[in-house]
Amino acid sequence: MTNYADEEPHYLLDSNIVSEIIKPEPNFNVIKKIGEHNSDCAICTPVWHELLFGLYRMPDGLNKKYLEKFIKDDVYENFKIKSYTEKTADIQAVLRAKLEAIGKPTQKEDSMIASIALANHMVLVTRNTRHFTAIQEVSDLQVENWFEPAAK
C-alpha cells in the first residue's frame, strides 16, 4: 500500500527562490539545492500569483515570451501548487492575532505563505528570512535560506 503522505513535498519555495532559476547567472547554492530536492519542492498560490503578476507587468517581447514559457511550462509542470484553504486561513488568522498582540504585525502575504507552509508541515525556503522572523517567534515555522552555503 502506498503512503501518499510520504510523497508530499517537504519544501515550500518563495518566489525569490523560483525566480533565481531563470536568472542569467543564478546563485549556485540555490540551483544545487533545487537539483537535490526538486521532487520534494512545491510553491503556493500566493507565490504563483507573484510570478504571474511579474510576468503580466512586463512589456511584450522576447523576454516576456521566454519568462511566460518558463512559468507556465517549467514551474507549473515541475512544482505542485499548494492552495490557500480554510485550514490555512485559520492558521493565518491565529498568526496575525498573535503577532499583533506582541506588537509585531507582518505583511499579509508573508503570513499567508507561512500559514500554507505550517498547514502542510513544510519548510519555507526564502531569501527574505527576516520577513518571517516574527512569525517564527509565535509558531513552529521552519525557514531555510538556500542562498547561503550549508554549514559544515
Side-chain angles (χ1 to χ4, degrees):
M1 180 177 230
T2 303
N3 182 353
Y4 291 101
D6 290 343
E7 295 178 14
E8 286 300 309
H10 182 70
Y11 296 103
L12 186 68
L13 307 182
D14 201 354
S15 53
N16 54 49
I17 300 295
V18 177
S19 62
E20 192 67 19
I21 300 168
I22 199 166
K23 288 187 176 177
E25 295 182 29
N27 179 283
F28 173 78
N29 293 316
V30 172
I31 300 305
K32 181 176 181 245
K33 291 291 265 187
I34 289 174
E36 290 171 2
H37 301 290
N38 189 42
S39 64
D40 202 21
C41 295
I43 62 172
C44 60
T45 48
V47 167
W48 182 244
H49 164 264
E50 288 174 356
L51 294 170
L52 292 173
F53 180 60
L55 170 68
Y56 297 146
R57 288 178 30 202
M58 290 180 72
D60 288 337
L62 286 178
N63 286 343
K64 184 174 184 176
K65 286 182 181 179
Y66 180 64
L67 186 60
E68 182 173 24
K69 181 174 179 10
F70 168 72
I71 291 172
K72 292 189 175 178
D73 291 348
D74 298 335
V75 173
Y76 188 78
E77 293 299 322
N78 289 304
F79 299 116
K80 286 185 180 180
I81 301 177
K82 296 292 186 178
S83 295
Y84 186 81
T85 64
E86 293 90 347
K87 179 180 177 180
T88 55
D90 187 32
I91 292 170
Q92 183 185 18
V94 169
L95 286 177
R96 292 183 69 206
K98 285 181 177 180
L99 290 166
E100 190 175 278
I102 63 169
K104 296 183 177 181
T106 188
Q107 286 188 343
K108 197 180 294 184
E109 293 80 8
D110 289 341
S111 63
M112 185 181 283
I113 292 168
S115 69
I116 294 169
L118 286 164
N120 291 283
H121 309 287
M122 298 175 79
V123 176
L124 176 60
V125 181
T126 183
R127 186 176 203 167
N128 300 327
T129 56
R130 284 190 338 262
H131 292 193
F132 300 95
T133 304
I135 294 170
Q136 288 181 286
E137 291 178 28
V138 299
S139 74
D140 294 330
L141 180 68
Q142 295 178 358
V143 178
E144 290 185 10
N145 179 357
W146 287 356
F147 280 83
E148 297 173 352
K152 292 183 181 178

